[in-house]
Amino acid sequence: MGVLKTYVVLVLVYTCSGQYTYPVDDTPGYGRVFDGIGAISGGGATSKLLVSYPQQQRDEVLDFLFKPNFGASLHIFKVEIGGDAQSSEGSEATHMRTPDEQNYNRGYEWWMLKEAKKRNPDIKLYGLSWGFPGWLEGPVGSVYAQPERTAQYVANWVIGAKKIHNLTIDYIGCWNEHLYNTTYIKVLRKVLDNNGLQDTLIVAADYFKWDDFATDILNDPELANAIYAMGVHYPATNSSPLAQKMGKPLWSSEDHSDSGNAKWNRNYVNGYMTSTIVWSTLCGFYTMLPFYPAGLMRANEPWSGHYDVFDYIWFAAHTGQFTKPGWIYLKHGYGVGNLVKGAPTSLWSVRTRRTLQSSLKN
């Protein structure tokens, strides 16, 4: 087994206003572990119209999203756990319309998950509820009132994914953009474990703030043990000093795909975020709906077969095609940081070290 040696490299960047030197060096140690770049099919049938496309065009769209070393080359695919609720662009069907009924063939997300996995067997799958069927609210009108029942509902979805569709769900969330409940998160971890789902990791809380949840984690070791990563929506490339001290991976678990706001390549440089997941995977919904045409691509004309490949596909490809989850960032100031003129740069230790060895041998 070969030994990887350490090298210090000075990268020279020339601009019209001068020459600048940037160190690339792993001797100070490493940064955080990269978890991947992903996208979301959820928020109410955002990909619904793709299902009706002619097969050739449908396959082309799916290749642009999920095929490794081709288009976006996504590492994570996040989908809505349907709840029969209107959740932005429409509603998605629940797998349990009553406490005694289960159906894991409703809706199109199962098909999307399988198509993603078919193109990239290593892609990580992530489920999150945007809404819940009314029977879970009970007499007090809250899905948190009986946390064991709600957690089992979610665990059933994970079990059904495996049993019916042979899909392993790697990550699970709590409730999209709703105020979290720490008791529910801890109960969810216990219910997943009791159902043999120890490898399904919790990303929480899919809300908008870092410090409230970080404070709860700091004061509750059981909560800290229950979650794998802290996920915040639309963090504008920044996390908080308190969140960075928690020792948890920090994720932008929902980020922009609309003009002027897509700055995912700064998420690690500015905020130490090791995963960015974009809403939405695909604008597969009608023009009169809100947030049109948010998506890495647009495919909302199945009658014509027309689709559009937005710039965001190639923005994602700059990360997706050249990295893998499990790679390790270099430290800030030693390969991670902003160039003098403002552009971000992030290097990974595995990629850097292999490249350097190869160049020295030649």
Side-chain angles (χ1 to χ4, degrees), residues 107-297:
Y108 67 91
E109 297 291 11
W110 303 114
W111 171 77
M112 286 283 289
L113 288 164
K114 287 187 285 189
E115 291 294 320
K117 203 73 173 176
K118 180 169 69 177
R119 286 163 174 79
N120 179 8
D122 295 326
I123 198 168
K124 302 292 186 181
L125 305 182
Y126 180 174
L128 175 67
S129 294
W130 267 249
F132 294 91
W135 62 267
L136 279 170
E137 296 182 355
V140 298
S142 171
V143 298
Y144 295 142
Q146 300 182 63
E148 292 82 2
R149 186 168 70 167
T150 302
Q152 188 61 56
Y153 166 87
V154 173
N156 287 345
W157 185 85
V158 179
I159 295 167
K162 185 65 175 180
K163 183 180 294 186
I164 305 301
H165 300 286
N166 195 31
L167 295 167
T168 297
I169 304 301
D170 301 283
Y171 304 111
I172 206 76
C174 301
W175 191 358
N176 182 74
E177 295 179 0
H178 283 70
L179 191 60
Y180 61 89
N181 180 284
T182 58
T183 297
Y184 171 72
I185 295 171
K186 291 182 285 188
V187 168
L188 177 60
R189 181 68 270 159
K190 291 178 181 177
V191 170
L192 290 170
D193 291 347
N194 291 340
N195 282 272
L197 302 172
Q198 293 87 350
D199 293 334
T200 300
L201 306 177
I202 296 175
V203 178
D206 278 302
Y207 198 54
F208 298 107
K209 299 177 181 179
W210 293 105
D211 281 354
D212 289 350
F213 193 49
T215 300
D216 288 333
I217 292 172
L218 186 65
N219 295 323
D220 190 339
E222 185 182 356
L223 177 65
N225 291 332
I227 71 163
Y228 168 71
M230 297 175 62
V232 164
H233 288 196
Y234 304 101
T237 80
N238 289 298
S239 59
S240 71
L242 182 60
Q244 293 166 20
K245 293 178 181 178
M246 291 299 100
K248 296 289 182 182
L250 306 180
W251 287 20
S252 174
S253 53
E254 183 172 322
D255 215 318
H256 290 281
S257 64
D258 53 329
S259 179
N261 290 306
K263 299 176 181 178
W264 328 314
N265 55 348
R266 300 177 188 269
N267 280 350
Y268 188 76
V269 172
N270 294 346
Y272 293 85
M273 284 169 268
T274 57
S275 179
T276 294
I277 304 177
V278 179
W279 189 86
S280 63
T281 305
L282 182 70
C283 176
F285 51 92
Y286 293 116
T287 58
M288 73 286 294
L289 291 171
F291 307 112
Y292 177 88
L296 296 175
M297 300 180 67

